[in-house]
Amino acid sequence: MSVKIIGTGSYVPERILTNADLEKMVETNDEWIRTRTGIEERHLAAPEQATSDLALEASRRALEMAGIAPEELGVIIVATITPDHLFPNTACIVQRELGAKNAFCFDLEAACSGLLFAIEVANGLLLAHRKLKYALVLGAEKLSTLVDWEDRNTCVLFGDGASALVLKQVPEGEGTVVASDMGSDGECTEILKAQSGGSRMPASAETVAQKLHCIKMDGKEVFKHAVTEMVNSCQQVLAEAGVSPSQLRWLVPHQANYRILKAVAQKLDVPGENVYMNINRYGNTSAASIGLCLDEMNRRGLVKPGDYVLLTAFGGGLTWGATLLKW
Ligand code: UT7
């Protein structure tokens, strides 16, 4: 058996926050943001929209493309660091709204690597259980709720959005997922985190006043680790699959910073025109970002059957990974 991606979907909320808008909020400028990150604008969810609302839209689009009914789903996994609640999980809320009553549902937290980790888990489940025919895998984030809008080091970077993939169990040799490599390093938890809101430091009036629930990041350290680990993971996956960088139709890195993407591509020897980027329009949407790229590429006809597409991600934890697809 193997596993095939049969549907993709994505959704970004309507409201756009431009670099010019940010200039009015913190001491920054469009030139700095564009040249240091590649970001021009990002989408922000409305106050009444939660992560599951974004996920639901993306799910409907992916299911429509896959041509299957919600009842056929055996499992739903939502990768997110911004769940609707601490519990119940966001995947159960998506299940309820879709009417996917035969699925078991859980969230997965691996920050920006979440979608790749979720594909890895869903792939394993589909291969292990003959009765599981279809999985719905989502990366969905309302990061705007974790952003300190007075911190120019982070507030220019992030955006909201959701992406979805429908995976199907298929006979050996017909699958999309070819090879993968996932990794983590718990020694580096401090360089990218939200301090409060969990059991170590529950939310209180004081933690909220000090904005300890917001994203704090040592950008330079994260940058260095991101390049090293994504390159290593990609190289391992390519070696395992016996595929050379020149055979890749697309490299699709997590959209964190176009300079990180460029550095990864250069070290892997993948030409710029084979690197997919949409960070200029969405910013860093964490677990949603790779799926936002894949859905866009798929709907624009930029991926053809037989194309090799290498996904790679990096995020808080630290977590990272690479997944090679043959479309
Ligand atoms: O999703 C995975 C997790 N996140 C990432 O992968 C992000 C990784 N890191 C990065 O993308 C980059 O490190 C940043 C974009 C966050 C920062 O870029 P940088 O080139 O590393 O800048 P820096 O932090 O070294 O700051 C350079 C200067 C500083 O001023 P001084 O000290 O040189 O006077 C900053 O205070 O730029 C200043 N600066 C800003 N200036 C205008 C920092 N943020 C801003 C800003 N606007 N928004």
Side-chain angles (χ1 to χ4, degrees), residues 28 32 36 112 152-153 217 219-220 254 256-257 259 284:
T28 190
W32 191 96
R36 295 297 183 113
C112 306
R152 70 174 184 173
N153 292 301
M217 178 172 71
K220 277 205 185 311
H254 165 52
N257 181 328
R259 291 187 293 139
N284 179 347

Side-chain angles (χ1 to χ4, degrees), residues 107-185:
D107 290 0
L108 184 155
E109 201 274 84
C112 306
S113 312
L115 189 76
L116 292 199
F117 278 37
I119 293 172
E120 186 78 356
V121 171
N123 189 56
L125 286 169
L126 289 171
L127 292 179
H129 297 282
R130 202 163 272 281
K131 68 175 183 181
L132 281 181
K133 295 280 183 257
Y134 299 101
L136 177 64
V137 170
L138 291 132
E141 302 284 13
K142 188 179 178 184
L143 289 179
S144 54
T145 56
L146 288 187
V147 168
D148 175 354
W149 292 103
E150 291 174 343
D151 176 11
R152 70 174 184 173
N153 292 301
T154 51
C155 76
V156 301
L157 302 174
F158 299 105
D160 299 335
S163 57
L165 304 173
V166 179
L167 306 186
K168 182 187 181 188
Q169 192 190 79
V170 292
E172 191 64 43
E174 293 177 19
T176 321
V177 183
V178 176
S180 60
D181 173 76
M182 304 288 138
S184 302
D185 182 1

Side-chain angles (χ1 to χ4, degrees), residues 10-12 161-163 278 282 285 288-296:
S10 61
Y11 172 79
V12 287
S163 57
N278 60 17
Y282 305 123
T285 57
S289 95
I290 287 179
L292 281 176
C293 293
L294 265 186
D295 186 44
E296 214 169 77

Side-chain angles (χ1 to χ4, degrees), residues 112-121 123 176-184 226-241 248 250-254 264 268 290 309-315 319-325:
C112 306
S113 312
L115 189 76
L116 292 199
F117 278 37
I119 293 172
E120 186 78 356
V121 171
N123 189 56
T176 321
V177 183
V178 176
S180 60
D181 173 76
M182 304 288 138
S184 302
V227 175
T228 308
E229 302 303 354
M230 284 197 283
V231 169
N232 282 343
S233 238
C234 286
Q235 283 171 339
Q236 291 210 25
V237 167
L238 290 172
E240 186 190 325
L248 293 177
W250 291 109
L251 175 67
V252 187
H254 165 52
V264 170
L268 288 173
I290 287 179
V309 181
L310 182 57
L311 317 176
T312 186
F314 178 88
T319 57
W320 61 83
T323 304
L324 181 65
L325 306 177

